[in-house]
Amino acid sequence: MDLPDKENDSFFKGLIAMMEHLSEPWGIKDLDSRHIYMNEASYLYTNTPLNFEVEGKLDDEFPANWIEFASDLIEHDKRTEVSQSRVTVIETHYWYGKDNLTPFISEKLPIYNDRKEVIGVMWNAKPFNTLSPLKYINQQKPSILSTEINNDTFTQAELDVIFLMLQRLSVKEIAKIYNISSKTIENRIYNIYQKSDVHSLQQFEEFCKFAHLDNYIPDRLLAKGIQFI
């Protein structure tokens, strides 16, 4: 492929050779925010047709619905170039062409030449890990947050409360988020405990671990867009 500025070819080609074999989405952009390369995992992540030639394209030229955030993606590029260091965002969208919103962590890092000049940025994306404190308390590896769940036990309203319970929020804090009374939340928690056959939060956390509820996040709590962190 013809890469911009032949003097920097070796830097880009070395990165491309590495990225081609990675299972996570990786890509390279130039200082004008034009794409130089995306590996196959990136095509799948962005739901970009495999026959679409990304080289030289800006984000808003892609045949994909996430281009509505093109200005935020360019801002991510520029912050990386100016800071000359890693810049991280949370990207929440319908990644992989799925019907449900999914949060991903996306990092961009500057690419330097031999003169220590920034000549572009490289990016990658990986699933956002669960926020649940019991993962860390029990010294477990964080799991991937998902809005999809196989559940025949709890109502959607109860699943919403379960997620916030696992974040160790109080009844008052949960009630404030949903703008309903604390009594309503208390009733939901009572019903949740009854269905789970438990009597305490600690017992319920164990139940959630085995029922795989500890990596679930209600999609109504996710906001589509780019969040700088």
Side-chain angles (χ1 to χ4, degrees):
M1 64 188 297
D2 295 326
L3 295 168
D5 193 344
K6 293 183 179 179
E7 185 180 352
N8 297 319
D9 276 8
S10 60
F11 295 96
F12 292 125
K13 287 180 177 177
L15 289 171
I16 289 171
M18 174 193 71
M19 293 176 181
E20 283 181 344
H21 303 287
L22 297 178
S23 59
E24 287 186 348
W26 280 89
I28 300 172
K29 299 173 79 174
D30 66 20
L31 296 181
D32 293 320
S33 290
R34 294 187 179 276
H35 288 264
I36 294 175
Y37 170 80
M38 290 192 341
N39 66 0
E40 183 175 347
S42 291
Y43 273 85
L44 298 175
Y45 171 67
T46 58
N47 198 29
T48 300
L50 292 176
N51 62 355
F52 180 74
E53 179 55 61
V54 302
E55 185 182 349
K57 299 293 195 302
L58 294 168
D59 291 315
D60 60 10
E61 296 176 303
F62 275 61
N65 55 13
W66 49 264
I67 64 173
E68 61 186 304
F69 303 125
S71 60
D72 292 319
L73 296 171
I74 292 174
E75 174 68 16
H76 193 186
D77 299 336
K78 299 309 177 186
R79 290 195 189 189
T80 305
E81 295 163 17
V82 171
S83 66
Q84 298 188 7
S85 62
R86 181 195 313 263
V87 177
T88 305
V89 302
I90 299 174
E91 298 179 338
T92 303
H93 209 273
Y94 302 99
W95 301 118
Y96 291 100
K98 293 184 177 180
D99 294 328
N100 55 292
L101 289 171
T102 308
F104 271 70
I105 293 289
S106 177
E107 296 180 323
K108 287 182 177 174
L109 302 94
I111 302 171
Y112 293 91
N113 61 17
D114 283 337
R115 298 189 298 276
K116 298 184 179 179
E117 299 168 332
V118 176
I119 58 175
V121 299
M122 56 182 172
W123 64 271
N124 80 317
K126 54 190 174 184
F128 189 24
N129 288 333
T130 178
L131 304 172
S132 179
L134 73 153
K135 289 286 184 181
Y136 302 97
I137 292 172
N138 296 327
Q139 297 183 334
Q140 296 174 284
K141 291 183 178 180
S143 58
I144 297 169
L145 283 175
S146 174
T147 56
E148 297 178 326
I149 188 172
N150 292 322
N151 164 67
D152 297 321
T153 304
F154 302 104
T155 67
Q156 185 58 59
E158 289 169 346
L159 287 170
D160 291 354
V161 172
I162 287 171
F163 171 78
L164 297 174
M165 288 170 63
L166 294 178
Q167 311 314 310
R168 300 294 182 91
L169 269 67
S170 68
V171 169
K172 288 184 178 180
E173 289 171 325
I174 297 173
K176 184 177 181 180
I177 288 173
Y178 288 110
N179 195 29
I180 56 179
S181 70
S182 295
K183 184 63 177 176
T184 299
I185 297 300
E186 288 174 352
N187 289 337
R188 288 183 186 174
I189 292 175
Y190 175 80
N191 290 333
I192 289 168
Y193 280 5
Q194 288 289 102
K195 291 179 178 181
S196 308
D197 193 25
V198 301
H199 305 284
S200 68
L201 179 59
Q202 182 177 1
Q203 290 177 338
F204 182 64
E205 288 177 340
E206 284 296 313
F207 171 86
C208 288
K209 182 173 67 174
F210 289 105
H212 305 293
L213 288 170
D214 54 346
N215 67 336
Y216 169 75
I217 181 170
D219 55 8
R220 71 179 72 184
L221 296 181
L222 293 175
K224 186 172 65 171
I226 309 297
Q227 178 184 352
F228 287 85
I229 57 176

